[in-house]
Amino acid sequence: MEHSVNNFDYSKPIQREMILQLLTTALNVREFRFVRQACLMWLAAYPGDFKINFLLARALLLESKTSQSLPILKKITATD
């Protein structure tokens, strides 16, 4: 399914598949700040989302913020 800015319905919440696609693309182009901010906004509403937590930890690791990523990774592995 192809999306365009022209037919995007801004009145509806973003779907999880769309946020995952955005975050993956942002990681690929090294937009780590965007990834961190988007993950934190999503996690404010859905704190138990493992995939989003993992993407947040990955962005932090790629930014060499190991001390910030470790608690997230430990929480994921403890729960899994």
Side-chain angles (χ1 to χ4, degrees), residues 37-51:
Q37 291 174 342
C39 284
L40 292 172
M41 286 176 39
W42 184 269
L43 291 169
Y46 308 102
D49 192 321
F50 292 127
K51 180 72 174 182

Side-chain angles (χ1 to χ4, degrees), residues 18-58:
M18 175 65 84
I19 193 72
L20 290 172
Q21 183 178 6
L22 286 169
L23 293 171
T24 302
T25 300
L27 280 170
N28 288 338
V29 296
R30 305 184 63 80
E31 290 292 336
F32 304 127
R33 183 177 174 194
F34 173 84
V35 174
R36 283 187 284 108
Q37 291 174 342
C39 284
L40 292 172
M41 286 176 39
W42 184 269
L43 291 169
Y46 308 102
D49 192 321
F50 292 127
K51 180 72 174 182
I52 301 294
N53 272 294
F54 174 75
L55 293 172
L56 173 59
R58 185 171 172 205

